Amino acid sequence: MIHVEHDKLILQICALVVAIVAAIIDVRTTKIPNVITFPATIIALIMRALFGGFGMDGLLDGFLGALLGIFLTYFGGGMRKKMYFGDSKLMMACGAFLGWVNIIIVMMYFSICWGAIAVWRIGTVIPWKSIIGSVFAQQAGGDLFSPEDAKKVQARMQALIPIGPAIAVGVLITELFGQQTLEFMGLAK
């Protein structure tokens, strides 16, 4: 049992390292390269097959995690329009390391983080002082935003959000609180 826990910890550390490296690259380039995601997925599946206590069950768990990771992010929820395939491949690699149950939890936490990042980014360009003054001006028939402010907000809303950092935070939160999350949801074994 101790050996299995040790192997699980190694897989978790590997997933976190891959996610952090990908997040740093994503912030700098808005791309997550295949040279990280594909080898990480293959290494994860090999590790799951070879580590003591996992064997074919571990390989199957990793394979299902990889499939769910790519499926949930690319095909689920209409995210194709907001994500590039690199983000889906990063979730595939993390799913291969963490397994199918944990990648669902990662998806939940990363979605929350992604939403918070999006709200923060929009909040930083909204001219709050102008809006407060404009509310009164709008009652008198004026516009809520000046054309310049409206362009800034529109440009920020259309700008790409690197999703890698949100995925990395989702992996970290899952590794720290995944079991508690399952217990809270009534799904713990």
Side-chain angles (χ1 to χ4, degrees):
M1 184 66 173
I2 293 173
H3 189 62
V4 172
E5 290 300 319
H6 178 263
D7 293 346
K8 183 179 173 186
L9 179 63
I10 291 172
L11 290 168
Q12 288 176 331
I13 290 170
C14 289
L16 188 58
V17 167
V18 167
I20 289 171
V21 168
I24 291 168
I25 293 170
D26 196 19
V27 167
R28 292 182 177 177
T29 66
T30 65
K31 295 188 184 322
I32 298 174
N34 292 341
V35 73
I36 292 174
T37 56
F38 286 129
T41 303
I42 292 167
I43 290 169
L45 294 174
I46 291 170
M47 289 172 70
R48 283 186 153 274
L50 297 178
F51 274 5
F54 290 130
M56 289 307 289
D57 289 340
L59 180 62
L60 180 62
D61 186 37
F63 184 72
L64 290 174
L67 284 178
L68 264 175
I70 205 162
F71 180 79
L72 289 173
T73 52
Y74 190 71
F75 297 108
M79 290 189 198
R80 287 192 299 255
K81 297 172 184 164
K82 307 226 183 323
M83 295 177 71
Y84 286 101
F85 203 51
D87 303 311
S88 297
K89 290 181 283 187
L90 176 57
M91 286 291 285
M92 173 183 69
C94 291
F97 279 112
L98 300 175
W100 74 272
V101 171
N102 286 324
I103 201 63
I104 293 171
I105 299 170
V106 169
M107 181 70 183
M108 178 184 75
Y109 284 124
F110 122 69
S111 297
I112 292 168
C113 293
W114 186 21
I117 291 168
V119 168
W120 174 77
R121 283 179 53 130
I122 296 297
T124 60
V125 295
I126 292 178
W128 294 105
K129 290 179 185 177
S130 298
I131 288 178
I132 292 169
S134 297
V135 167
F136 297 109
Q138 189 178 23
Q139 290 175 352
D143 291 330
L144 187 59
F145 286 123
S146 70
E148 297 83 30
D149 290 339
K151 286 180 185 178
K152 285 182 192 177
V153 171
Q154 185 67 25
R156 182 59 87 123
M157 288 175 67
Q158 293 176 347
L160 294 176
I161 299 174
I163 299 171
I167 294 172
V169 171
V171 168
L172 178 63
I173 293 172
T174 299
E175 290 177 1
L176 294 175
F177 303 108
Q179 186 61 37
Q180 292 90 333
T181 302
L182 289 172
E183 289 171 6
F184 177 76
M185 295 165 66
L187 302 172
K189 295 178 186 178

